[in-house]
Amino acid sequence: MASSLGGASVSQTDDFETFTPTTDVEPLKRAWRNEKAAPEILPFEASLVGRIKEQIQLMEDTIEEYSRSGIDPLIVSLYQMDLDRTQFLLRSYIRIRLQKIEKYMLYILKSDELFRRLSEEEITFTDRCSHDMKKHFDESVLSKLPNNYQDILRQSIISEEDDMVPEPPLDTFVVCKSKEYLEHIQLEDEEERASSRVEEPFEMEANVLHIIRYKPIKSLVESGRIDLL
């Protein structure tokens, strides 16, 4: 009898070990790290989040079934810990994105590139927040100011651009590493190349940590060739 139970426990442990690698925890962890380190909002990982939600539902069903069946509590706790970890990463990933939306909402709304990076739920959230914020400022502050200063985007009507809209600091330095050998990375943008001496193109060895300004490598981050840490 003891041997049978022991064999069942080993089998259940093997099931957990074979089940865990099939989840998308590592890609989610990578997306979470990139989103957390990037100064701007990155494209929403729609397909990844969809798969993660399905896997969370599967793990919840498995835990419920195992609990009813009297499976070894240790096995159930392993599934529960994996479920908790996955839920934490997903919630944190979404929370970080919402914090960026709140901080750079007006800039995102005026940038087609950034607006296209939002999920449908984030677009709804952004529209509602911007409407509520504008209404609040209009009623509490702007309506009491002279007509020349009632714009939420500009300091006055004589301003030539939206100088009241905070922008993501793309010149922030980030810690990163590449997945492969990369060469000919230009660390200056067009304006810098036109006004100053151009440095030699930068090279990155695979899996070697670098501290670089985000702006020159943003396209490589978006394409998945560079990971932020």
Side-chain angles (χ1 to χ4, degrees), residues 211-228:
I211 300 178
I212 311 175
R213 282 193 309 140
Y214 172 77
K215 190 174 182 179
I217 63 169
K218 65 188 299 290
S219 61
L220 295 172
V221 173
E222 294 168 12
S223 65
R225 302 179 70 185
I226 288 181
D227 287 334
L228 303 182

Side-chain angles (χ1 to χ4, degrees), residues 8-21 66 75 79:
S9 178
V10 171
S11 175
Q12 293 154 10
T13 304
D14 290 342
D15 289 344
F16 172 78
E17 291 177 349
T18 56
F19 171 80
T20 301
Y66 279 12
I75 303 300
Y79 276 95

Side-chain angles (χ1 to χ4, degrees), residues 12-29 51-63 66 73-91:
Q12 293 154 10
T13 304
D14 290 342
D15 289 344
F16 172 78
E17 291 177 349
T18 56
F19 171 80
T20 301
T22 64
T23 65
D24 285 296
V25 172
E26 286 305 317
L28 177 60
K29 191 182 299 183
R51 294 196 306 271
I52 286 291
K53 288 181 178 179
E54 293 176 355
Q55 292 161 13
I56 286 176
Q57 184 61 53
L58 175 60
M59 285 189 283
E60 290 176 338
D61 294 342
T62 301
I63 291 172
Y66 279 12
L74 176 61
I75 303 300
V76 177
S77 68
L78 290 175
Y79 276 95
Q80 186 63 54
M81 285 190 295
D82 196 55
L83 172 62
D84 293 342
R85 176 184 61 166
T86 305
Q87 288 178 324
F88 167 80
L89 286 173
L90 179 59
R91 289 168 180 165

